[in-house]
Amino acid sequence: MGCVDIFFNAKTFAVVGASRDANKVGHIIFRNLLESGKKIIPVNPNAKEIIGHRSYSDLLEVPYQIDCIVIAIPAKFVPLVLRQAQKRNIKAAVILSAGFSEVGDDKLENRIIEIAEESGMKIIGPNSYGFIDMSQNLNTTYYAPKSYTKESSMWRKFDRGSTAFISQSGAIGSAVLDMSQKLSGFVSVGNSAQLDVSDFIEYYSNDKNTKVISIYLESLREGKGRRFLDVCKKCKKPIIVLKSGKSRAGQKAAQSHTAALASEAGVYNGILKQAGVIQADSIKQLFKIAKVLEKYPRVGNSVAIITNAGGLGVLTSDACEINNIKMPSLSKTAMEKLDKVLPSNWSHNNPIDLVGDALPEDYEKALQIVEREKFDFSFILLTPQKMTEALKTAKVLMKAKKPVFACFLGREQIKEAKEFMKRFGIINFDYPREMCETIGKLI
């Protein structure tokens, strides 16, 4: 944790490449950082003032101690800036500049590594998108969390969550931020010339605001595999990894993206399995798994299914079997209790098909009974039929004592119910297969 916390604990930032032009990267970074309330210094030899703040021609001219620099200038000038930082005894640098090993310029990247190591400086990047600490509203990226117009001056604070996201792709990071994912933190490691994914796993392992660590991984640099295994094994929090570069085409793309050398899929499957991480198959699944783990650190592997649509129950049963989710039969006691409270035409089996005219109270009675059984969790399935009251049924799920997952299938007639579930943290899936694949990853 010690090698990374200097970024998050920094009190004074200098933005090298800050700009007066609202459409420039350097302007957005500077503006974002101002929202943190920390001391932010613009550095630009062609500007005397930026957004009312005195601008300096270089780092040597700044009369204040600087804790961290954010660099957004052409790659060829980065070594000069790092030499200035060395003279100022600055120990942290975020390099957003691209044009290093990802485009084949290993020599330039090696120069900045040498300078950093010589001066005891820690660097994120190059070719990074920066980092964000939601608890401090500290944003070193050029993602602006607002509805942007040139006339608007309102910057929206990030919605805070308890999942940290570490990404080897800045663009994927920006997309995730734009999805309004509630995060505790975000970091784009870029080329990982020095600090890499493992350093930030270690940091978030000890971060009190983080419950789950999620990662977009293209590959690990040569010699970094053992450390990755060690930090993952030591981490007490769940780690979810979306690994790309599994195909030959993907491996080739990764090489030109972050200079990462991707290996055969089987090699990484073995590494990730040894590390004890959960592998996701898509960005959406990555954050669905994270959402489940935020709410339910342990899920189990046996399910009771309650539905008002037999076909949906069959689809879910198929998906459960494929994803190793057990569907035990109902006990004799449970059957007798359900017979007393449900219409006589219920399915008398798991899935518990309440049939099409099921009311919210039918769902509630069935859920209360199965929660006293040895099922670990429940799937609540619903389709909008004539008698269906989707919103009231969603409210029933607030009373669940065990983990409960919903799949309300439809659109217009379940809109209110879905909004309610989102607002109150009830996890809803769009389709049975998506639900079973997500929960299956935890088994």
Side-chain angles (χ1 to χ4, degrees):
M1 182 172 174
C3 70
V4 167
D5 60 358
I6 55 173
F7 293 93
F8 300 93
N9 293 337
K11 302 298 181 188
T12 303
F13 288 80
V15 179
V16 181
S19 173
R20 290 172 294 191
D21 186 340
N23 294 313
K24 296 286 188 182
V25 165
H27 179 92
I28 298 170
I29 295 167
F30 180 65
R31 184 103 174 250
N32 281 344
L33 277 167
L34 287 176
E35 295 299 307
S36 68
K38 296 176 183 283
K39 189 171 186 62
I40 313 299
I41 301 160
V43 176
N44 183 334
N46 301 313
K48 292 183 179 180
E49 184 182 281
I50 298 176
I51 320 178
H53 293 260
R54 161 81 190 276
S55 180
Y56 297 88
S57 60
D58 59 35
L59 291 174
L60 300 178
E61 188 186 8
V62 178
Y64 312 105
Q65 175 58 41
I66 301 167
D67 300 318
C68 179
I69 53 173
V70 182
I71 304 173
I73 57 175
K76 63 182 179 181
F77 299 117
V78 172
L80 173 62
V81 171
L82 293 182
R83 284 297 184 196
Q84 292 177 356
Q86 182 180 19
K87 290 178 182 178
R88 294 297 312 273
N89 198 32
I90 298 168
K91 296 301 182 184
V94 185
I95 306 174
L96 280 69
S97 312
F100 293 86
S101 61
E102 81 282 0
V103 294
D105 200 336
D106 295 329
K107 185 176 179 181
L108 186 58
E109 189 158 308
N110 288 334
R111 279 179 66 193
I112 67 172
I113 294 170
E114 287 169 10
I115 296 168
E117 291 180 351
E118 183 183 309
S119 57
M121 187 186 305
K122 297 300 178 185
I123 59 174
I124 298 174
N127 189 29
S128 168
Y129 191 61
F131 73 89
I132 302 172
D133 183 352
M134 277 66 179
S135 67
Q136 302 183 72
N137 206 38
L138 176 61
N139 181 3
T140 68
T141 77
Y142 46 97
Y143 176 80
K146 67 164 194 165
S147 297
Y148 180 79
T149 63
K150 289 185 178 179
E151 294 76 23
S152 173
S153 61
M154 296 300 292
W155 240 240
R156 177 180 64 79
K157 289 188 176 182
F158 287 99
D159 293 327
R160 288 169 60 178
S162 51
T163 292
F165 181 44
I166 306 167
S167 180
Q168 281 190 317
S169 166
I172 285 178
S174 69
V176 166
L177 292 167
D178 201 51
M179 291 172 191
S180 296
Q181 295 290 350
K182 292 184 178 180
L183 302 174
S184 58
F186 163 75
V187 62
S188 158
V189 294
N191 291 4
S192 301
Q194 187 194 62
L195 297 175
D196 74 347
V197 168
S198 300
D199 295 295
F200 290 96
I201 293 173
E202 193 172 55
Y203 174 80
Y204 288 119
S205 295
N206 296 287
D207 176 40
K208 64 181 182 181
N209 297 314
T210 298
K211 292 182 181 178
V212 180
I213 299 168
S214 60
I215 302 168
Y216 168 74
L217 179 69
E218 289 180 358
S219 77
L220 300 167
R221 287 216 166 195
E222 189 175 348
K224 299 284 189 177
R226 174 50 57 188
R227 174 159 162 74
F228 176 79
L229 280 171
D230 289 344
V231 297
C232 287
K233 287 177 178 179
K234 288 178 185 175
C235 182
K236 304 299 183 186
K237 300 174 182 178
I239 300 172
I240 315 160
V241 175
L242 173 59
K243 172 70 178 73
S244 67
K246 293 180 179 179
S247 66
R248 290 185 180 179
Q251 291 165 25
K252 186 176 180 181
Q255 170 65 23
S256 62
H257 183 214
T258 56
L261 291 171
S263 300
E264 294 294 331
V267 174
Y268 269 95
N269 284 338
I271 291 172
L272 295 174
K273 190 172 182 180
Q274 282 186 63
V277 307
I278 300 163
Q279 290 193 63
D281 297 323
S282 67
I283 294 171
K284 184 178 182 181
Q285 189 181 78
L286 181 77
F287 289 102
K288 275 292 189 181
I289 295 170
K291 189 174 288 186
V292 171
L293 289 169
E294 282 180 357
K295 188 167 185 179
Y296 306 119
R298 289 182 178 82
V299 174
N301 69 347
S302 64
V303 65
I305 300 172
I306 304 172
T307 180
N308 71 344
L312 196 56
V314 174
L315 283 173
T316 305
S317 299
D318 287 343
C320 282
E321 184 171 324
I322 293 166
N323 290 283
N324 300 312
I325 300 170
K326 294 181 180 178
M327 291 176 52
S329 298
L330 296 166
S331 70
K332 183 179 178 181
T333 303
M335 295 272 280
E336 289 172 352
K337 289 179 180 178
L338 288 165
D339 271 333
K340 289 178 182 178
V341 298
L342 296 179
S344 60
N345 58 345
W346 74 279
S347 63
H348 293 81
N349 201 352
N350 183 20
I352 300 168
D353 183 3
L354 306 174
V355 303
D357 59 355
L359 297 172
E361 48 263 39
D362 296 320
Y363 276 96
E364 184 172 0
K365 290 168 186 174
L367 183 60
Q368 286 174 346
I369 290 168
V370 299
E371 286 204 314
R372 296 189 193 106
E373 298 290 304
K374 293 182 179 180
F375 299 105
D376 295 314
F377 55 92
S378 300
F379 286 161
I380 308 299
L381 315 178
L382 178 145
T383 61
Q385 302 180 51
K386 189 174 182 180
M387 301 287 288
T388 306
E389 297 179 64
L391 179 57
K392 286 185 179 180
T393 304
K395 290 179 179 179
V396 164
L397 307 190
M398 296 287 288
K399 301 175 184 179
K401 301 293 191 295
K402 290 183 178 180
V404 61
F405 306 101
C407 178
F408 282 28
L409 192 63
R411 189 172 182 178
E412 291 303 320
Q413 294 183 49
I414 63 163
K415 189 181 293 184
E416 277 187 295
K418 289 180 74 173
E419 289 171 356
F420 174 86
M421 289 187 284
K422 184 176 182 180
R423 188 161 66 250
F424 289 96
I426 299 167
I427 300 170
N428 180 69
F429 294 88
D430 293 329
Y431 299 100
R433 178 176 174 178
E434 174 197 5
M435 178 171 64
C436 294
E437 286 176 347
T438 300
I439 304 305
K441 292 289 184 181
L442 305 177
I443 295 174

